[in-house]
């Protein structure tokens, strides 16, 4: 089964073509060359992306079994946060205003500062079966996962911390409201990408209808009708400017497809 997806509407940055996307309804290996996507909150989709696949609603579930939290790969962050709140489970507070599906959040090891999705993870289920966290190489905004995350299990520790929600809210206060894909670049060790971009004069820099936000320089925002080409031009020129000035090669956090 396929689904027609208009990435200029579906993706959080509001860029991309209308594309047929393969919908995975059962646990299977991706056909050759296919790329799995989640909610497209971290994607910059080109006019000619590789063949894409997404999980069906079958994988949108969350329940407690044997004192562990089982979450399907297609489950949205908001649903996970509500469940954790309702059942007083710790470790999912970071999902407040962190848009994504469980699969995308695991693949990116999404997080805020020291709060990361991998912190409470026990194992994931891919087409190759269950893989424990210990067997996965992961780090800051990175997890070496081969295959599709169909499900993950997490520790079910009591103690949802509402005070963390207030803190995360404050931390997000300076995030732009315009369409974006979150942080454009990863923070290089010992530096902040936003600060480096600002120091080379790219804060607020606009090409066509894309810009590095005036509010937060590491957010590449769509001012309305921005294009893939404009986004790539900003990314490339910012990387060049930062490298020229500081000798630091910024690495994209955004996944370009
Ligand atoms: C306003 C805003 C704020 C944000 N704030 C944060 C933040 O604070 N911290 C943070 O870390 N991120 C943040 N992001 C980025 C985004 O929320 C995360 O990267 C999130 O994990 C993306 O999930 P997704 O389902 O949309 O994945 P997608 O964007 O669709 O995909 C992201 C990656 O995950 C892979 N993937 C998706 N689903 C699966 C699957 N089932 N199995 C295997 N791989 C899969 C894709 O191939 C791709 O490489 C923000 C984004 C926005 C728009």
């Amino acid at each position: 089964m396929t689904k027609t997806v208009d990435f200029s509407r579906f993706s959080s940055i509001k860029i991309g073509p209308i594309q047929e996307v393969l919908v995975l309804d059962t646990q299977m290996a991706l056909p050759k060359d296919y790329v799995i996507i989640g909610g497209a909150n971290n994607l910059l989709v080109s006019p000619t992306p590789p063949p894409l696949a997404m999980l069906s609603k079958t994988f949108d579930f969350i329940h407690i079994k044997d004192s562990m939290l089982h979450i399907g790969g297609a489950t949205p962050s908001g649903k996970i946060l509500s469940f954790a709140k309702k059942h007083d489970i710790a470790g999912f507070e970071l999902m407040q205003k962190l848009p994504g599906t469980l699969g995308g959040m695991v693949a990116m090891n999404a997080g805020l500062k020291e709060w990361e999705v991998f912190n409470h993870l026990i194992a994931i289920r891919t087409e190759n079966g269950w893989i424990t966290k210990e067997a996965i190489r992961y780090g800051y905004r990175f997890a070496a996962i081969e295959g599709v995350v169909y499900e993950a299990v997490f520790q079910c520790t009591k103690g949802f911390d509402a005070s963390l929600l207030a803190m995360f809210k404050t931390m997000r206060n300076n995030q732009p409201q315009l369409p974006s894909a979150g942080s454009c670049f990863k923070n290089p060790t010992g530096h902040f990408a936003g600060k480096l971009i600002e120091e080379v004069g790219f804060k607020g820099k606009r090409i066509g209808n894309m810009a590095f936000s005036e509010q937060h320089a590491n957010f590449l925002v769509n001012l309305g009708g921005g294009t893939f080409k404009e986004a790539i031009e900003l990314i490339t020129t910012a990387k060049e400017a930062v490298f020229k000035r500081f000798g630091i090669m910024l690495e994209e956090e955004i996944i370009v497809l």
Side-chain angles (χ1 to χ4, degrees):
M1 187 177 66
T2 63
K3 186 177 166 182
T4 310
V5 177
D6 180 351
F7 282 94
S8 73
R9 295 165 83 96
F10 180 64
S11 71
S12 58
I13 201 166
K14 308 294 175 212
I15 288 177
I18 298 172
Q19 190 81 13
E20 284 302 303
V21 177
L22 179 67
V23 179
L24 305 178
D25 204 23
T26 53
Q27 184 177 316
M28 58 179 269
L30 277 179
K32 195 173 176 294
D33 298 331
Y34 272 69
V35 174
I36 181 80
I37 62 162
N41 295 289
N42 206 42
L43 305 181
L44 178 59
V45 184
S46 75
T48 53
L52 303 173
M54 70 200 317
L55 298 180
S56 80
K57 286 277 174 205
T58 311
F59 301 101
D60 177 353
F61 61 82
I62 179 162
H63 57 252
I64 300 167
K65 193 179 152 201
D66 302 329
S67 304
M68 285 187 293
L69 188 60
H70 289 249
I71 311 179
T75 314
S77 53
K79 184 169 176 174
I80 302 170
L81 179 72
S82 303
F83 189 93
K85 204 172 186 174
K86 186 168 165 204
H87 297 270
D88 191 28
I89 303 167
F92 297 88
E93 300 85 351
L94 80 159
M95 290 186 187
Q96 174 182 251
K97 297 216 168 158
L98 198 166
T101 61
L102 191 270
M105 289 188 288
V106 169
M108 295 304 298
N109 188 17
L112 264 177
K113 302 218 165 133
E114 67 265 42
W115 293 273
E116 294 180 338
V117 165
F118 265 67
N119 291 3
H120 294 261
L121 181 73
I122 296 173
I124 61 170
R125 179 165 60 87
T126 72
E127 62 272 27
N128 303 315
W130 285 99
I131 304 169
T132 61
K133 171 168 135 178
E134 290 67 33
I136 304 169
R137 234 171 7 96
Y138 67 93
Y140 163 62
R141 295 301 93 80
F142 156 81
I145 291 171
E146 273 173 38
V148 177
V149 178
Y150 284 100
E151 183 181 349
V153 285
F154 292 86
Q155 292 158 13
C156 205
T157 319
K158 280 267 169 231
F160 185 85
D161 187 349
S163 70
L164 278 180
L165 295 185
M167 192 183 77
F168 292 143
K169 193 166 175 238
T170 312
M171 282 160 73
R172 289 193 185 278
N173 270 350
N174 74 334
Q175 278 186 3
Q177 299 302 310
L178 288 165
S180 75
S183 297
C184 182
F185 299 108
K186 296 184 185 187
N187 288 322
T189 311
H191 298 272
F192 289 105
K195 182 109 196 313
L196 296 171
I197 294 168
E198 197 172 335
E199 286 188 12
V200 293
F202 271 59
K203 188 175 186 175
K205 185 169 170 66
R206 176 175 182 166
I207 293 180
N209 288 318
M210 296 301 296
F212 284 111
S213 169
E214 289 281 4
Q215 227 174 322
H216 189 312
N218 196 22
F219 269 63
L220 183 61
V221 293
N222 189 338
L223 305 169
T227 65
F228 176 80
K229 194 165 169 270
E230 291 159 0
I232 291 295
E233 206 173 323
L234 276 168
I235 290 172
T236 311
T237 48
K239 281 174 79 167
E240 280 167 7
V242 167
F243 187 73
K244 201 167 160 205
R245 169 99 177 265
F246 299 105
I248 297 170
M249 187 53 82
L250 287 174
E251 186 194 338
E252 288 87 338
E253 182 169 323
I254 289 184
I255 310 282
V256 180
L257 292 177

